[in-house]
Structures are given as C-alpha cells and as structure tokens.
Amino acid sequence: MTDTITISVDAMGGDNAPRAVIHGASLALRERKNTRFIFHGRQEQIAPLLDEFPELRPASTVRHCETVIAMDEKPSQALRKGKGTSSMWMAIQAVKDGEADVAISGGNTGALMAMATFCLRPMKGISRPGIAAIWPTLRSDIIVLDMGATIGADAKQLVDYAILGSALARCLFDDDAPTVGLLNVGTEEVKGLDYIKEAGRVLTEASGSGFTYHGFVEGDDIGKGTVDVVVTEGFVGNIALKTAEGTARQVGSYLRSALKSNLMSRIGALFATSALNALRRKMDPRTVNGGVFMGLNGIVIKSHGGTDEIGYKSALSLSYEMARSRLIDKIGDTMQRFPIKVASEAPEAEPEANSA
Amino acid sequence: MTDTITISVDAMGGDNAPRAVIHGASLALRERKNTRFIFHGRQEQIAPLLDEFPELRPASTVRHCETVIAMDEKPSQALRKGKGTSSMWMAIQAVKDGEADVAISGGNTGALMAMATFCLRPMKGISRPGIAAIWPTLRSDIIVLDMGATIGADAKQLVDYAILGSALARCLFDDDAPTVGLLNVGTEEVKGLDYIKEAGRVLTEASGSGFTYHGFVEGDDIGKGTVDVVVTEGFVGNIALKTAEGTARQVGSYLRSALKSNLMSRIGALFATSALNALRRKMDPRTVNGGVFMGLNGIVIKSHGGTDEIGYKSALSLSYEMARSRLIDKIGDTMQRFPIKVASEAPEAEPEANSA
C-alpha cells in the first residue's frame, strides 16, 4: 500500500446512484486528495457525471459493467446473475486482485455480503463474517457488531466478533486496549443463552490481548457508551440498531411538534436556531454512514442505500480511514495475540448461493 | 367482580418503597375512587404512611409480612425464601385466593415472574408467560411483548404472545381487531429463524379471529407505531426496550446541551419553556409505567423499581384498567376463537426454582 488509497466503488448501488455516489466522491476527494477511485458501472451514466465534477476526473478510472443488482434481489439470485459481471461484484473483485485497498457499495446488503464472502472468503480462523456499525453515543462513537451479516451465533462467533471489533476500534479510536462488552439482558441467572456466558468466560481469560473485557452490557449501555465495542448476535444487533433509529426519529418528531405548538415556542425556536441546527447535524444519520464488513480477506464498506452525496462522502471517508489504518493487518495481529482457540458449532461460512 | 376494583400491592417492592408506593396509591385513588388496596409488607413502616395519607385509610387493608425480597436476589432463592411469607408472594396469593382483582409489585422482576408463575400457573394452552410493555409511538401507544419473561422462543410461543398481546390491545385501545406484527430483520431470505416464519404462517391463517395479522415488522416500526402489537422473543424484546430507553435519554441529553450551548439558545429555551415541559412530560418514562405479566391465571403488573409516586400512580392506574376491562376474560375469549393449535417444542413452564 502506497501513500495513495484506492477505493473501488460500486457506482450503481443505492437509490440515488450513480449521481449521489459520484457527487459524494468529489466531496470526499476535497478532504483526502490522495484518494483514487475505480468506479464500476454503466459508462454512459458515469461519464456525464464526471463532466459535471471535473476535479474528480484525474483521480478516477471507470470500468464499464452492464449488470446492476436490484435492491430487492435475493442474495442467491444476485450472486448467480452478478458474479463476474455486475458493478457490485467487480467492485469487490478489484480488492481481491490487489488493484484497490477497499470496496464500497450502497446496494443490497444481503447481495453485497454474499458476493463479498464468496469473492474474498473469510479470514483463516474466522467462521463467519460480521457487519460492524459505528454508533454515536453520549461518550463518543463506539462499535456495535454484528448488525445482521449472520443470523444466529455461537460462543466462537461472539469471540470472533470481539476480536474483529476491537481491531476496528484500534483503527478508529487510536486506543490500544479498547473495552469490549457482550450484550445481554443483564441478569446473572439467564436461561437459554449459554453461548453468551461461554463467550464471556473465554473473553475474561483472554482480556488484555488487544482489548479489555468489560463483561455483560445491557441495551441502554449502547447509548451511554459504556464500552468501545458491543458484541452481539446479528438478529439482535439489527433489531437494536433499527429500534434506536426509530426512537431517535420519534423523539426528533416530538421535538419539532413541541416547538411548533404555540407562538412562544416558535419564537423560542427562532432564538435557538443555531443550537437546534447543531443538534440536527449531530443526529443526522448521514454523518455516520457505513457498515464495515469484518472477517473477510479484504475490506468492504456498505453505505446506506437511501443516502445522498453527504452520506456517500462519509462512507467514502470511512473507507479511506479503514484502508489507511491497515484494518486487515490489525485484525491479523489481534488474532495472533489471542491466547485461546474456541471451536465453533457452525460449519465454515458458505456463500448464500450454495446454501439457499 | 363488582364495581369496586381491589388491587393487591407489594408495598415493599422497589427502591423507594414503601413511601413511593403508598403515596402513589393515594394519587391513584383520587382519580379512581372505587379502588380498594390490600398492602402487603411491614406494618410498622406502612402504618405511619397511612397516617400521612389519611384519605387512603378507608380504602386500605394492611397485611403484615416480615419477609422482603431484595432487588438482587436470584429468582430461585427468592422463591425458596419468600414463598408463603414475603410481601411479594402474598400480594400474588391474594389474586389467587380471589380477594383481589390484580397484583402489583415494583420488586425484583425475575423473582416476581417466578412467584407469579408458581402461584398462579400458566393458563391452559399457554406454554410460557410473557411480559408486555406499553410503548409510546408516533401514532399512539402500542404493545410489545415479550420483554424478557422467557429467553428463547418457538413458533408456538410467538403465536401465544400474539393471542395475549391482542387481548391486551383490545382492553387498552377498545379496538376489536388490533393489528399484530412479528419482529424480524425484514428480509425474506432469513436463515436460522424458521420459528418466526412458522409463526407468521400460523398467524396469516388465523388472522381475523380477534386480531389482524400485518406481517413482519422491523425495529424502526416500533417507534413508528406500524402495528398495535409487536411480537418478539424475550431476549430481543428486552434489548429493544433498553436500547430505545438509552436512545431517548441520549437524544434528550443532546437537546439539553444544545439549548445551553449559547446565550441565544438559552433565551430561546426560556420562550419555549411550556413546549419543552410538554415534551419532557411526553418523554417521561413514569407516565407509561408497568409491564403486564401475560398468560397466567391472574393479572400481575410489574412497576419500574426505581420510580417514584408518579410512576406508581401510573402502574396502579394500569392495574385498575386491566382488571376493569377483564383482561383475563378477553384472553380466554381470544384463545377460544383462535382456529389453529400449534405444538410447542418447549415443555410446559416450570417455575425457576425447579429448574435452577
């Protein structure tokens, strides 16, 4: 890896592609001038946009792909149709081939995970990949994983997520021993979740090798920022993320109604305009955009599909930082330092297409 | 049941007991004058409080219990120590004996669930009890269950929760066919959660018999109020509830900081005082306080343990309404109308003491 970071971009992924993607790239380039882009997608749609954002042109290569994966396509279907031909697949392939340091797409999450797993393969020793979210909290940003890459987990998978998440935390937060917590319902006498308790035992023993194990955390510890890395099974992580998004929107909506409720409150809102705008920016989901696919032999970032150029700019900046801070090396290093081997109950990951 | 509603109260449960409990009862009585209370707990602590709230005295009976269950006691331990002697047990026993219409406690949730299950037993046909939360949303209050009464679920349990939750919705919202959704990660091709898909098939077929089945909902549908009843397994429900609480506190904290950030915003906040106070009341967790234990032969309400008299007043009012609207009859009616029998993979519920 040289000083230059090359990002391989699925220019066709997401609701506002390719315009929002290309526009976002032009914004990202302004802040990180040593970025290079490889855009995969329909030449006839991308070329006019590069005319519109001419500063991007010298930093960009366009690779024409005819096939585009739809947002509602099943992963297995997408893999059959798009392997070797689609903008999504080709974006990932460029990482595998060493042409790019990181790949990004705003397309169909399930399809992207299936293709990334099939193309890049899980890292040696990691049974299944996870998706990490960067979650703003009262203390600072933290990492929560898995957001739903895999449904169902065993102790080995949670331990893997702890290794992956703490490596990501070391990249993002420059902290050599990030704290890790296991998401639980908080009581000691919990039935049916033996795999969480088992993972807790392993992490207690391994604490100190690249992370500090904090213990169990509860749902409200996420917003408090009690630990740097919250580890949970994918179904639960996905529900937690979406419930939090829903709650934030709900409270925001209450606030807007309250401030419109009478003349005095409208006047008050005028006085507080700058503060309320700062609050809006703080709560803007576009500023923290990008799920990090963890545990594969290459970095893939998923942007929200419905976002605009600001959201893509954030996701592209995140991609850049992941590559610059050598995430893959940090994961390998954490795995090497990890003192305990745990057997998984699950078979090694197979891409969706084979099992569906 | 006469016009009078008798509430059996564990006067010793919760951090601020018995003062907050008795004070809350005096507030609840003002609004619902035909309430009668049986307070279970330490006579020497309760008597002086009844002197302080004399309007409560004619509506109250005190039953002395020496034993009090601690907040951190394990359910199995609490059951061994408190069966037949503790204020918590005796509060439930009064419902079993037909002396009271409903029981309430702000004590240890696990202990309360274990005692309620052991004393009242699950209703015929219900494999395991659930805890329902009343959740404020952008549309109106909705019901979400299970909040963690049971960890792990199968299709039969989700179907049970749908029956129980829709009966509760019919009590609370005066709606004869409340909509029911199953919490899921939203994609069609989900691995490992076959029991949710199986429950979906059963509910699709049974839709119309006391509820309308909506389909799968995602985490952000809770805050939107997409359906009247959200059904989920207890671990997930507990994480969703606490994550939402954490997020609401986080956004509230952001808002307070924003309004204090500069002189103009402080002036704005002064103008908007009444609107912001209304918002604070709307977000006050005390106004919606009370988990409803569902699926037992009797109604038990769990109040937040850390709440004050306002919180207890809300939980006591909820208890009153559950009894008045004949929740147990409505559940029985929904079960009778339910056209399909589902076999459970789990054994019939056994109280914690036996299995722990």
Side-chain angles (χ1 to χ4, degrees):
Chain A
M1 198 186 301
T2 70
D3 232 358
T4 300
I5 302 286
T6 303
I7 305 179
S8 174
V9 183
D10 171 10
M12 310 309 288
D15 301 336
N16 308 308
R19 166 168 288 280
V21 182
I22 306 288
H23 189 173
S26 81
L27 298 175
L29 181 64
R30 266 181 231 170
E31 286 183 10
R32 293 173 172 84
K33 299 209 188 299
N34 59 341
T35 315
R36 296 296 169 267
F37 300 98
I38 308 174
F39 295 112
H40 304 265
R42 293 196 180 131
Q43 172 82 41
E44 70 279 14
Q45 287 179 266
I46 297 171
L49 289 163
L50 289 179
D51 291 341
E52 212 174 308
F53 302 101
E55 70 280 14
L56 202 56
R57 191 178 282 284
S60 304
T61 311
V62 180
R63 300 267 174 83
H64 180 73
C65 305
E66 194 55 37
T67 310
V68 173
I69 302 301
M71 292 305 266
D72 57 355
E73 233 151 341
K74 288 193 181 178
S76 51
Q77 212 175 17
L79 197 49
R80 272 193 299 274
K81 167 181 147 186
K83 183 167 174 266
T85 59
S86 62
S87 59
M88 186 182 274
W89 177 278
M90 296 314 290
I92 300 164
Q93 178 82 48
V95 171
K96 185 177 188 189
D97 295 345
E99 291 184 285
D101 301 300
V102 52
I104 179 171
S105 173
N108 181 331
T109 308
L112 185 63
M113 184 44 97
M115 286 189 184
T117 307
F118 196 94
C119 181
L120 298 171
R121 311 301 303 174
M123 295 176 81
K124 193 167 156 37
I126 298 288
S127 54
R128 280 166 181 277
I131 303 177
I134 293 150
W135 194 304
T137 76
L138 282 175
R139 183 172 58 85
S140 64
D141 286 354
I142 67 167
I143 289 156
V144 187
L145 79 170
D146 170 39
M147 288 295 121
T150 304
I151 301 300
D154 59 17
K156 153 80 171 140
Q157 276 158 19
L158 293 187
V159 171
D160 285 354
Y161 293 153
I163 293 172
L164 296 169
S166 53
L168 181 55
R170 284 159 63 207
C171 288
L172 281 173
F173 312 142
D174 280 329
D175 180 345
D176 199 48
T179 52
V180 173
L182 285 173
L183 194 60
N184 206 339
V185 293
T187 57
E188 296 278 324
E189 199 176 15
V190 176
K191 288 197 227 168
L193 291 172
D194 290 336
Y195 77 100
I196 298 181
K197 291 188 267 183
E198 171 61 20
R201 279 189 289 272
V202 174
L203 292 175
T204 302
E205 210 179 316
S207 183
S209 54
F211 64 91
T212 305
Y213 178 59
H214 171 92
F216 294 147
V217 293
E218 294 195 66
D220 54 344
D221 286 304
I222 303 177
K224 284 182 200 162
T226 305
V227 290
D228 297 314
V229 181
V230 173
V231 168
T232 187
E233 176 273 329
F235 186 89
V236 174
N238 181 287
I239 298 291
L241 179 71
K242 293 208 168 148
T243 302
E245 286 174 353
T247 305
R249 266 201 298 273
Q250 184 183 353
V251 177
S253 167
Y254 286 168
L255 174 61
R256 279 189 298 280
S257 306
L259 291 176
K260 281 181 196 159
S261 62
N262 59 50
L263 182 62
M264 294 290 270
S265 68
R266 283 167 194 264
I267 294 172
L270 275 182
F271 272 99
T273 301
S274 80
L276 292 171
N277 282 343
L279 177 65
R280 195 169 296 131
R281 279 194 298 276
K282 198 170 179 118
M283 287 181 57
D284 187 344
R286 296 176 305 173
T287 59
V288 184
N289 177 28
V292 183
F293 285 13
M294 308 280 300
L296 301 173
N297 294 304
I299 316 170
V300 177
I301 305 284
K302 168 66 173 70
S303 162
H304 265 291
T307 197
D308 60 8
E309 65 276 10
I310 307 293
Y312 276 103
K313 188 208 139 198
S314 302
L316 287 160
S317 303
L318 177 68
S319 306
Y320 179 100
E321 292 305 327
M322 295 296 93
R324 191 194 55 77
S325 58
R326 297 173 182 272
L327 174 61
I328 294 288
D329 296 349
K330 287 219 168 61
I331 294 172
D333 172 60
T334 315
M335 285 177 65
Q336 280 210 320
R337 284 164 69 183
F338 200 83
I340 306 159
K341 294 284 161 269
V342 193
S344 178
E345 291 159 22
E348 292 285 300
E350 284 299 323
E352 298 267 332
N354 293 1
S355 57
Chain B
M1 197 186 302
T2 71
D3 233 358
T4 299
I5 302 287
T6 303
I7 305 180
S8 175
V9 183
D10 170 11
M12 311 308 288
D15 303 335
N16 308 308
R19 166 167 289 278
V21 182
I22 307 289
H23 189 173
S26 81
L27 298 175
L29 182 65
R30 267 181 230 171
E31 286 183 10
R32 292 174 171 84
K33 300 209 189 298
N34 59 342
T35 315
R36 296 297 169 266
F37 300 98
I38 308 175
F39 293 112
H40 304 266
R42 294 197 178 129
Q43 173 81 41
E44 70 279 14
Q45 287 180 265
I46 297 171
L49 290 163
L50 288 179
D51 290 340
E52 212 173 309
F53 302 100
E55 69 281 13
L56 203 55
R57 191 178 282 285
S60 304
T61 310
V62 178
R63 299 268 174 82
H64 180 73
C65 304
E66 195 53 38
T67 311
V68 173
I69 302 301
M71 292 304 267
D72 56 355
E73 233 150 342
K74 287 192 182 180
S76 50
Q77 212 175 17
L79 196 50
R80 273 193 298 274
K81 166 181 149 187
K83 183 167 174 264
T85 59
S86 62
S87 59
M88 187 182 273
W89 178 277
M90 296 313 290
I92 300 163
Q93 178 82 47
V95 171
K96 187 179 187 186
D97 295 345
E99 291 184 284
D101 300 301
V102 53
I104 178 171
S105 173
N108 181 330
T109 308
L112 185 64
M113 183 42 97
M115 286 189 183
T117 306
F118 197 93
C119 181
L120 298 171
R121 312 300 304 174
M123 297 178 81
K124 193 168 156 37
I126 297 288
S127 53
R128 281 167 181 275
I131 302 177
I134 294 149
W135 194 305
T137 75
L138 282 175
R139 181 173 59 86
S140 65
D141 286 354
I142 67 165
I143 289 156
V144 187
L145 80 169
D146 171 40
M147 286 296 121
T150 304
I151 301 299
D154 59 18
K156 153 82 170 138
Q157 277 159 19
L158 292 188
V159 170
D160 284 354
Y161 294 152
I163 293 172
L164 296 168
S166 53
L168 180 56
R170 284 158 63 206
C171 288
L172 281 172
F173 313 141
D174 281 329
D175 180 344
D176 200 49
T179 51
V180 173
L182 286 172
L183 193 60
N184 206 339
V185 293
T187 56
E188 296 277 324
E189 198 177 15
V190 177
K191 286 196 225 167
L193 291 172
D194 289 336
Y195 77 100
I196 298 181
K197 290 187 268 184
E198 172 60 20
R201 279 189 290 271
V202 174
L203 293 175
T204 302
E205 210 179 317
S207 183
S209 52
F211 65 91
T212 305
Y213 179 59
H214 171 93
F216 295 146
V217 294
E218 294 196 65
D220 54 343
D221 286 305
I222 303 177
K224 283 182 201 162
T226 305
V227 291
D228 297 314
V229 181
V230 173
V231 168
T232 187
E233 176 273 328
F235 186 90
V236 175
N238 181 286
I239 298 290
L241 179 70
K242 294 207 167 150
T243 303
E245 286 174 353
T247 305
R249 267 201 298 275
Q250 183 184 354
V251 177
S253 166
Y254 286 168
L255 174 61
R256 280 189 298 280
S257 305
L259 291 176
K260 282 180 193 161
S261 62
N262 58 50
L263 181 64
M264 293 291 270
S265 66
R266 283 166 195 264
I267 295 172
L270 274 181
F271 272 99
T273 301
S274 80
L276 292 171
N277 283 342
L279 177 64
R280 196 168 294 130
R281 280 194 298 277
K282 196 168 179 119
M283 287 181 57
D284 187 345
R286 298 176 306 174
T287 59
V288 185
N289 178 27
V292 183
F293 285 14
M294 308 280 302
L296 301 172
N297 293 303
I299 316 171
V300 178
I301 304 284
K302 168 68 173 68
S303 162
H304 264 292
T307 197
D308 60 8
E309 66 275 10
I310 307 292
Y312 276 103
K313 189 208 138 199
S314 302
L316 287 160
S317 305
L318 177 68
S319 306
Y320 180 101
E321 292 303 328
M322 294 296 92
R324 190 194 57 77
S325 58
R326 297 172 183 273
L327 174 60
I328 295 287
D329 296 349
K330 287 218 168 64
I331 294 172
D333 172 60
T334 315
M335 284 176 65
Q336 280 209 321
R337 284 164 69 184
F338 201 83
I340 306 159
K341 295 285 162 267
V342 193
S344 176
E345 292 159 20
E348 291 286 299
E350 283 302 322
E352 298 267 332
N354 292 2
S355 56

